[in-house]
């Protein structure tokens, strides 16, 4: 009855105040971690009579209209202490962000069930609420990304479709891992520990401008105040070989201390098959590579936050990883004449020992300057990465009758790389009456030292080849500043804008060549976002952003890294960054149907360039700035539940790739149209048993120097939940074995090449997980100030 009476008072107050000339009071409601939608906001007079009221929107904002005067503002939400503040209204008033405090005693006795949407469109990102997608449960971090709309994970390369390779943030911090190491880490991360994934195709000015592919932010769960939680899982993966993954995550929050820690370990092997066909003028090379690659990996994360006062929190975070992705590979090269008759064969046996280590330490401080949302945040980061690689290989020749003609070459290739980076960043949030402003500064200093020693071991004793040995040093200093703002232009239109300035100075020194390359450049990077909420069912968004893509540090190193004695990869110290302009427009209907169109324009683009030395018949992998590219994309994604026990999520896209050469090279360039579709289905067989069927398809298409064959990936999963928080999951991945990279073709210097790779795409996984402790969760976000440098270290 009290609730009914209170609601009736609010409705009556709203009716009478709406017909008077009123002032507007706006603000945003949040806790220490995120915004709070559907909170009750009311104004009372001095006699505690309700004058007007409203509830906060999905983004936590509210708007009230009333006459001038003194009022008591009260904000309440289940599980939080009621916020009360006396305000004086003389004109339109923006209260900024108002923070609610948890009422842990109430939470201990109340269980709340809410229906959160699977997809949420915010002004600058698409949010995938993993908890609401049963298709993402029962697996690991890799499985979640496979069903995230617009995200592709293929052959250990993660990308946003139509944008290229992307950066990964974990709890707002960029992971220092990439490629195989990143996939190994995500495979050890339980999907049950992920609360949501943010796909940021056009990042705002606060983030580093680096990376054409946007950002993917994986946000992990965290125990609430006066709680603890532990999650343990073990998984077994079978392909031709097998490997095991064990992960444990622990969370603890008590009084002023917040602690989270995780450790993940992989042990075992998987099969990695590669192949390339090269058509020379006088013969054809058919090369098959059969590799057995280790998954040995150990990683851990440690985060400690301490609340000094109600306004100030400081903390430290450590993230470390050691991997040994050693590869034992046998490369068989069959050489045919122009009549397709076998001339000879080469058998290359290689042992590649790899030892990668990285350590990241972050210190952060957050200080709230007032109760209206003014806030100062400071981060200081140190990051170090080392990689040692020893490649020992021999090549033996065989005639057409498979008789050995002896060993033709034998070598030992030793390479190492060390990267050190120190970064610091200061961010200030400054909410004003009509606009919320933020600005900040960043300084980043990077030093890398890379070397290679090449020994000819054909004689039985290693002999140093100075012509193929080198040392390379690289320094990069980046100073950046930014400002951004957001405001509601009216009840339906929201504006967000920003401008980032980055000044970059680089120096590359090749010791053996006695060569120094310097590059200095300063650039502005604007961003603009507009959101129009026509009504509760229709939301329109437009965004623009300019970004820079700096080369990875290894790509700048001019040394040769040999794959075998006929194939090697070489860096390019003259490689320049590329720039991209990104335009997007989208329409979200009922938070289920998302229609979008985007244009991505990349200038001075660089990429892998497959070249050949016809005289020596060597295959050379290098990097060049050689193109300008236009990518147009039309997409439609939707989710629905046709019947109570069937939930489905779907994504359909058409892409047009148009490439213009900006360098005089002898290569075929073709424009292409690509069709992409993904469909994920979850069937509830019973209360505790669920079946998953996930599939995606990519058509044959041309893209610049390359064409790519069609691919189809189908996976089937089964999950059963037992009592005592135990879950058993099984997954059959790439059932038809048609989802791997194939027919990756190019023509350079009139030489046709066709590449393929299959890193055990078809496999079976079974996993068992056990959770215990407090089930309440919240979200914790911190970001490394040297996130871009960590990405480029791989």
């Amino acid at each position: 009855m009290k609730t009914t009476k209170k609601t009736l008072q609010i409705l009556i107050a709203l009716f009478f105040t709406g017909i008077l000339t009123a002032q507007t009071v706006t603000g945003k409601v949040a806790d220490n971690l995120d915004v709070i939608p559907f909170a009750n906001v009311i104004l009372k007079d001095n006699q505690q009579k309700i004058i007007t009221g409203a509830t906060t929107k999905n983004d936590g904002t509210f708007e009230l209209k009333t006459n001038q005067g003194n009022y008591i503002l009260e904000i309440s939400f289940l599980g939080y202490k009621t916020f009360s503040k006396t305000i004086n209204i003389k004109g339109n008033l923006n209260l900024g962000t108002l923070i609610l405090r948890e009422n842990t005693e109430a939470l201990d006795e109340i269980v709340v069930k809410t229906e959160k949407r699977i997809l949420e469109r915010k002004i600058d990102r698409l949010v995938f609420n993993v908890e609401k997608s049963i298709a993402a449960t029962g697996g690991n971090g890799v499985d979640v990304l496979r069903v995230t709309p617009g995200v592709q994970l293929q052959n250990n390369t993660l990308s946003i479709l139509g944008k290229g390779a992307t950066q990964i943030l974990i709890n707002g911090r960029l992971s220092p891992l990439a490629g195989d190491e990143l996939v190994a880490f995500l495979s050890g991360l339980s999907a049950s520990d992920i609360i949501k994934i943010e796909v940021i195709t056009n990042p705002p000015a606060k983030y580093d401008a680096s990376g054409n592919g946007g950002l993917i932010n994986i946000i992990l769960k965290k125990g609430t105040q006066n709680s603890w939680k532990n999650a343990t899982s073990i998984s077994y993966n079978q392909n031709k070989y097998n490997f095991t993954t064990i992960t444990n995550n622990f969370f603890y929050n008590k009084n002023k201390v917040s602690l989270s820690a995780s450790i993940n370990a992989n042990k075992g092997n998987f099969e990695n098959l590669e192949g390339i066909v090269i058509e020379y003028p006088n013969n054809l090379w058919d090369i098959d590579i059969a590799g057995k690659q280790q998954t040995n990996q150990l990683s851990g994360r440690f985060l400690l936050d301490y609340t000094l006062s109600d306004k100030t929190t400081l903390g430290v975070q450590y993230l470390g990883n050691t991997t040994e992705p050693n590869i034992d590979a046998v490369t068989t090269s069959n050489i045919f004449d122009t009549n397709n008759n076998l001339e000879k064969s080469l058998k290359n046996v290689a042992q590649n020992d790899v030892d990668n280590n990285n350590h990241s330490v972050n210190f952060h401080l957050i200080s709230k300057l007032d109760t209206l949302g003014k806030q100062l945040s400071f981060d200081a980061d140190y990051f170090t990465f080392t990689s040692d690689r020893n490649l020992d290989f021999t090549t033996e020749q065989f005639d057409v009758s498979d008789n050995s003609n002896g060993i033709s070459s034998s070598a030992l290739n030793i390479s190492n790389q060390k990267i050190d980076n120190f970064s610091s960043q200061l961010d200030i949030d400054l909410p004003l009456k009509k606009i919320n402003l933020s600005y900040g500064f960043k300084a980043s200093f990077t030093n890398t030292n890379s070397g290679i020693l090449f020994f000819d071991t054909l004689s039985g004793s290693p002999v140093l080849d100075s012509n193929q040995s080198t040392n390379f040093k690289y320094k990069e200093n980046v100073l950046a500043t930014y400002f951004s703002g957001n405001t509601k232009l009216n009840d339906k239109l929201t504006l967000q804008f920003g401008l980032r300035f980055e000044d970059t100075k680089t120096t590359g020194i090749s010791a053996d060549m006695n060569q120094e390359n310097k590059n200095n450049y300063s650039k502005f990077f604007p961003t603009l976002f507009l959101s129009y909420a026509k009504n509760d069912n229709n939301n329109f968004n437009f965004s623009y952003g300019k970004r820079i893509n700096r080369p990875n540090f290894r790509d700048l190193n001019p040394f040769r890294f040999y794959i075998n004695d006929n194939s090697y990869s070489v860096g390019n110290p003259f490689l320049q960054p590329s720039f991209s302009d990104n335009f997007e427009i989208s329409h979200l209907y009922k938070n289920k149907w998302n229609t979008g169109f985007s244009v991505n324009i990349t200038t001075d683009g660089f990429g892998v360039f497959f070249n050949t030395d016809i005289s020596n018949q060597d295959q050379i992998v290098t990097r060049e700035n050689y193109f300008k590219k236009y990518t147009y994309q039309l997409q439609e994604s939707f989710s629905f539940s046709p019947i109570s026990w069937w939930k489905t999520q779907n994504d359909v896209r058409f892409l047009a790739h148009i490439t213009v050469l900006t360098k005089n090279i002898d290569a075929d360039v073709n424009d292409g149209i690509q069709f992409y579709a993904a469909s994920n289905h979850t069937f509830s067989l019973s209360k505790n048993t669920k079946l998953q069927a996930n599939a995606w398809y990519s058509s044959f298409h041309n893209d610049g120097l390359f064409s790519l064959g069609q691919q189809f990936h189908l996976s089937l999963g089964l999950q059963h939940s037992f009592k005592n928080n135990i879950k058993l999951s099984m997954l059959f991945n790439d059932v038809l074995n048609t989802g791997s990279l194939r027919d990756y073709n190019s023509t350079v210097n009139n030489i046709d090449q066709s590449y393929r790779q299959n890193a055990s795409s078809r496999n079976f996984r079974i996993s068992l997980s056990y959770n215990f402790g407090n089930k309440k969760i919240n979200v914790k976000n911190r970001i490394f100030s040297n996130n871009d440098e960590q990405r480029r270290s791989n």
Side-chain angles (χ1 to χ4, degrees), residues 118 638-642 646-650 679-682:
I118 294 178
F638 52 96
S639 58
F640 63 98
S641 180
W646 176 20
K647 294 186 178 181
T648 178
Q649 181 175 296
N650 305 275
S679 186
N680 306 299
H681 304 264
T682 300

Side-chain angles (χ1 to χ4, degrees), residues 601-612:
I601 305 173
T602 300
T603 56
D604 207 15
F606 64 85
V608 172
F609 190 81
F610 291 97
N611 208 343
T612 54

Side-chain angles (χ1 to χ4, degrees), residues 131-182:
E131 287 186 308
K132 292 305 301 175
S133 175
I134 304 176
T137 61
N140 55 36
V142 172
D143 303 312
V144 174
L145 289 170
R146 290 191 191 278
V147 298
T148 301
V151 174
Q152 278 189 311
L153 180 58
Q154 182 177 299
N155 295 296
N156 289 355
T157 298
L158 192 65
S159 64
I160 298 176
L161 192 65
K163 298 286 186 178
T166 183
Q167 301 180 58
I168 294 296
L169 302 173
I170 298 177
N171 276 0
R173 291 187 171 101
L174 189 91
S175 170
L177 311 178
D180 299 339
E181 293 82 6
L182 176 63

Side-chain angles (χ1 to χ4, degrees), residues 341-358:
N341 298 313
L342 181 66
E343 292 183 337
K344 62 178 180 179
S345 298
L346 303 176
K347 184 177 181 180
N348 181 283
V349 179
Q351 182 176 355
N352 190 1
D353 295 328
V354 184
D355 185 10
N356 295 331
N357 294 274
N358 69 72

